[in-house]
Amino acid sequence: MAWQKRIKNGTVVTAKDTFLADIYVSDGKIAAVTTEELAGEIDEDVDATGKFVFPGFIDTHIHSRDPGPTYKEDFTHSTQAAAAGGITTVFEMPNTNPPVNNAANFERQHAHLEAQASVDFALWGICLGHLNETDIAPLDDKGVAAFKFFWGYAVHEETYQLMYNYKPGMEKVIPPFHDGEVYKMMQNVADTGRVFAVHAENNDLIQTLTGEVEARGGTTYDDLIAGRPQLAEVLTVQAGIDMARATGVRLHILHVSAGESLKRIRAAQQEGLPVTVETCPHYLFLAAEDYDTIGAKMKVYPPVKTAADREEIWQHVADGTISHICSDHAPHTEEEKDGSLWEIPAGMCGVETLAPLVLNAASEGKISLNDVARLLAENPARLFGFEDRKGTLVPGTDADITIVDMLKEAPIQRKNLHSKSKVTAYDGFHVKGWPVMTIVRGNTVMQDGELKETGTGELVTPGNKGAKIYGT
């Protein structure tokens, strides 16, 4: 027997267990996890003494803007950044140009991205109401990971691009979909059994409150939150929960930012509803109080809220309400982020710093290493139906492995980021615990911060409809 790779002497970490073992890899798959030395020649031996060996980390929420405004980012750079940050699989969001709104565009995006990918990837499909209601089932057949609806956003009637700062009266723009249309979308996705994920902000409330803030000349970060408060998220989350109860759809709340939203989601889970939720590092490591220090780099939607919200989000990470943590990687250029807080776009780099920030939380005792495996690998794979290939170290699954040195300490430095854009809120943020090797299907794509094999990523599609992950 010839082994493609052996990772020896490392401490294996899963969502439930931590133990010393060697991992044998054959033909890109996990062949064995054992304390015994197996006979046969080994093509590559990796000594992981003193290090922790995780299932490959997954980022389910990235915007590579490809095709689209690739002067900000492209899939080549975003997947190289992912590899550098210990991520072995990314889920690409569907609001590209053209969007992933039908089977033909799915195939087009598959070919376009696979030619660039340095890690494996899955594709989201987009819900555009009556514009693509007959395309939902074909997209499911093609293998989308899930469906996303940008609740509260308008759509350009010709390009189907999202209009992020909609104002009534805009030409060639379809206003945000009303609740009856949202209900119909949920019914259509419920028929597929896939997850229906929503960007949860109430446009009507945001329009009214933002108008009030603009009328009084508000320009501060507190004014930004006044225009997009907790209530804007809570109203949409509650409406989504009520519609999920009626339609049976598997509702997923994207990038939750408000503590009150999580109370509603927790109650829905305890009721037995198939409602799940994710969050992102900016809601875990930043708060409104940081704006004076960090500035406009931290503007995202929904906005980062108060320290009290941040602490509630951590509590719901700990109790299992939150299924996983992802980056919402959404780069913009330096020039675009340099201006009035109200006028600059929302979003920043995140895929490369996701794992280091979560590992640092483990080093500080906020979560355990088993939690890291649960939040960055096992749960995202299970939720979306990829556990037959991703998210675990079970023999027969893809040999996706992230090796971590929990003793390594270094600051995040923007100059070292691999994305086109270097805009990050975490420049200078001290981290203890870093990915030091990223392995995708047995191929080492990053070692000690240096990219190795690039351009070898593949499209992956779900093997089942996914699991109903509720709070513990």
Side-chain angles (χ1 to χ4, degrees):
M1 180 71 181
W3 304 106
Q4 177 185 355
K5 194 185 298 277
R6 177 178 66 175
I7 297 98
K8 63 180 182 179
N9 304 325
T11 301
V12 174
V13 183
T14 72
K16 294 182 179 179
D17 300 304
T18 306
F19 54 93
L20 290 171
D22 296 341
I23 298 176
Y24 288 79
V25 175
S26 179
D27 296 325
K29 301 288 186 180
I30 301 291
V33 181
T34 179
T35 56
E36 298 179 6
E37 184 170 350
L38 303 184
E41 296 183 0
I42 299 169
D43 292 340
E44 182 184 359
D45 236 353
V46 176
D47 189 351
T49 300
K51 298 180 177 64
F52 294 90
V53 181
F54 287 85
F57 295 153
I58 300 169
D59 188 345
T60 63
H61 194 146
I62 76 166
H63 299 267
S64 301
R65 314 196 183 285
D66 192 351
T70 51
Y71 66 91
K72 305 176 191 241
E73 182 69 304
D74 58 34
F75 207 60
T76 296
H77 285 81
S78 65
T79 56
Q80 288 179 358
I87 306 298
T88 60
T89 304
V90 296
F91 287 24
E92 179 65 20
M93 281 295 171
N95 55 318
T96 47
N97 190 6
V100 182
N101 62 328
N102 57 45
N105 282 344
F106 178 97
E107 290 290 1
R108 185 178 292 111
Q109 187 70 319
H110 171 192
H112 178 65
L113 297 186
E114 196 162 82
Q116 306 177 59
S118 290
V119 299
D120 284 354
F121 65 97
L123 295 177
W124 285 82
I126 196 167
C127 284
L128 295 171
H130 64 277
L131 298 173
N132 77 328
E133 62 184 355
T134 60
D135 295 301
I136 299 304
L139 279 168
D140 178 42
D141 291 339
K142 285 293 180 184
V144 292
F147 292 93
K148 181 173 182 178
F149 171 55
F150 292 80
W151 207 327
Y153 285 90
V155 177
H156 194 282
E157 66 179 22
E158 294 179 349
T159 66
Y160 299 159
Q161 295 304 291
L162 300 172
M163 308 299 291
Y164 289 92
N165 295 297
Y166 169 74
K167 298 291 185 183
M170 283 181 167
E171 294 184 1
K172 296 184 178 181
V173 173
I174 298 170
F177 295 104
H178 60 68
D179 285 356
E181 293 171 300
V182 179
Y183 184 88
K184 181 67 174 176
M185 284 185 243
M186 287 193 182
Q187 286 183 316
N188 288 337
V189 174
D191 288 341
T192 72
R194 293 274 166 229
V195 165
F196 181 81
V198 297
H199 177 123
E201 287 188 292
N202 183 287
N203 178 72
D204 289 340
L205 182 65
I206 289 171
Q207 292 286 330
T208 298
L209 297 181
T210 298
E212 292 179 356
V213 172
E214 290 174 341
R216 60 178 168 79
T219 59
T220 69
Y221 192 80
D222 287 341
D223 291 321
L224 180 72
I225 295 179
R228 305 178 88 102
Q230 265 209 27
L231 184 60
E233 183 177 271
V234 171
L235 287 174
T236 305
V237 166
Q238 188 61 58
I241 289 170
D242 291 339
M243 290 189 195
R245 183 185 294 108
T247 63
V249 77
R250 296 174 58 208
L251 177 67
H252 183 70
I253 307 301
L254 299 161
H255 44 49
V256 73
S257 68
E260 182 60 33
S261 297
L262 284 161
K263 293 176 184 176
R264 308 295 178 94
I265 294 163
R266 181 68 170 173
Q269 291 175 343
Q270 291 173 336
E271 183 184 334
L273 296 177
V275 179
T276 52
V277 58
E278 68 187 41
T279 197
C280 307
H282 30 278
Y283 306 117
L284 292 167
F285 300 100
L286 303 176
E289 294 83 349
D290 295 315
Y291 183 79
D292 289 342
T293 302
I294 295 173
K297 295 187 294 294
M298 65 179 273
K299 181 185 176 182
V300 294
Y301 286 158
V304 172
K305 297 181 174 63
T306 68
D309 287 295
R310 179 179 62 196
E311 293 313 306
E312 283 204 63
I313 294 170
W314 272 116
Q315 291 171 20
H316 287 86
V317 167
D319 70 17
T321 301
I322 292 173
S323 62
H324 63 284
I325 303 172
C326 50
S327 71
D328 195 8
H329 177 76
H332 297 285
T333 67
E334 298 282 347
E335 294 76 17
E336 289 172 324
K337 293 291 275 190
D338 182 16
S340 162
L341 179 61
W342 287 96
E343 295 176 354
I344 63 172
M348 63 177 170
C349 291
V351 68
E352 190 166 348
T353 53
L354 168 63
L357 289 166
V358 174
L359 290 166
N360 186 69
S363 75
E364 293 179 344
K366 289 183 180 293
I367 54 176
S368 69
L369 292 180
N370 303 106
D371 290 329
V372 174
R374 172 175 61 88
L375 294 163
L376 293 185
E378 183 172 310
N379 271 7
R382 289 180 58 222
L383 177 62
F384 295 102
F386 289 83
E387 70 270 25
D388 62 331
R389 290 191 59 181
K390 307 292 184 183
T392 71
L393 296 173
V394 174
T397 61
D398 289 349
D400 291 357
I401 298 166
T402 303
I403 299 178
V404 168
D405 185 349
M406 288 303 294
L407 298 179
K408 180 179 177 180
E409 296 188 57
I412 292 171
Q413 294 182 296
R414 51 172 292 148
K415 66 179 183 180
N416 294 333
L417 297 178
H418 290 75
S419 291
K420 275 189 174 181
S421 166
K422 314 299 181 186
V423 176
T424 174
Y426 305 110
D427 187 36
F429 193 98
H430 188 81
V431 166
K432 182 178 181 181
W434 285 84
V436 293
M437 184 172 286
T438 308
I439 300 170
V440 179
R441 285 176 285 103
N443 302 307
T444 300
V445 296
M446 183 276 287
Q447 183 172 357
D448 296 326
E450 180 182 346
L451 294 176
K452 296 294 185 181
E453 296 187 34
T454 58
T456 58
E458 296 178 355
L459 175 73
V460 289
T461 57
N464 57 63
K465 296 299 183 181
K468 296 179 180 179
I469 299 174
Y470 302 107
T472 55

